[in-house]
Amino acid sequence: VNMLKERNDKYDGAIQFVDISSQDYSPNDNQGLDYTTAMGRIHAILSDGTVVKDVEAFRKLYEAVGLGWVYAITKYEPVASIAEAVYGVWAKYRLQITGRPPMDEILKSRRKKV
């Protein structure tokens, strides 16, 4: 994310990052994506309001900052299916892998704050 944010500055803010953990986060302002959904997998909202997720979201984000070539191969089979499968495993286990609490604990903590 930090690399994308740095490149984003050079591309006149082509990407508008949203902090879903903020108490001000509103699904209504983000195509109805609630916190649980947004935390489960990466999502991107295109300028026309279309929601994309998973590898397609990464592809769109990288394209927006001039690095579309990095994910271009993921448009084509069999790489597309492999990339989606790998991302699916990462999305499922990323909290554990990165040393964060399980999703149910995060949601419980968030409910207490609201």
Side-chain angles (χ1 to χ4, degrees):
V1 173
N2 290 336
M3 182 275 298
L4 287 174
K5 285 182 176 180
E6 287 175 21
R7 288 197 58 100
N8 195 39
D9 292 339
K10 297 174 187 171
Y11 284 81
D12 297 323
I15 301 170
Q16 295 178 357
F17 292 91
V18 175
D19 181 1
I20 62 170
S21 65
S22 168
Q23 292 301 318
D24 297 330
Y25 178 78
S26 169
N28 293 333
D29 296 337
N30 294 283
Q31 297 302 90
L33 293 171
D34 61 51
Y35 179 79
T36 305
T37 301
M39 273 295 287
R41 303 178 91 75
I42 189 170
H43 293 77
I45 302 170
L46 306 181
S47 59
D48 67 359
T50 303
V51 176
V52 294
K53 64 181 182 174
D54 302 341
V55 175
E56 184 178 5
F58 283 108
R59 222 177 10 252
K60 297 294 185 182
L61 292 167
Y62 276 65
E63 287 170 1
V65 295
L67 294 173
W69 59 270
V70 173
Y71 276 88
I73 196 166
T74 64
K75 295 178 186 178
Y76 307 102
E77 291 298 337
V79 176
S81 294
I82 294 166
E84 288 293 340
V86 169
Y87 177 75
V89 171
W90 167 254
K92 183 174 182 177
Y93 295 105
R94 71 185 172 84
L95 296 174
Q96 293 167 285
I97 292 168
T98 58
R100 291 185 276 175
M103 181 68 80
D104 58 339
E105 285 182 33
I106 293 171
L107 295 174
K108 187 176 181 180
S109 174
R110 184 169 174 85
R111 278 187 228 108
K112 286 180 183 177
K113 292 178 184 176
V114 175

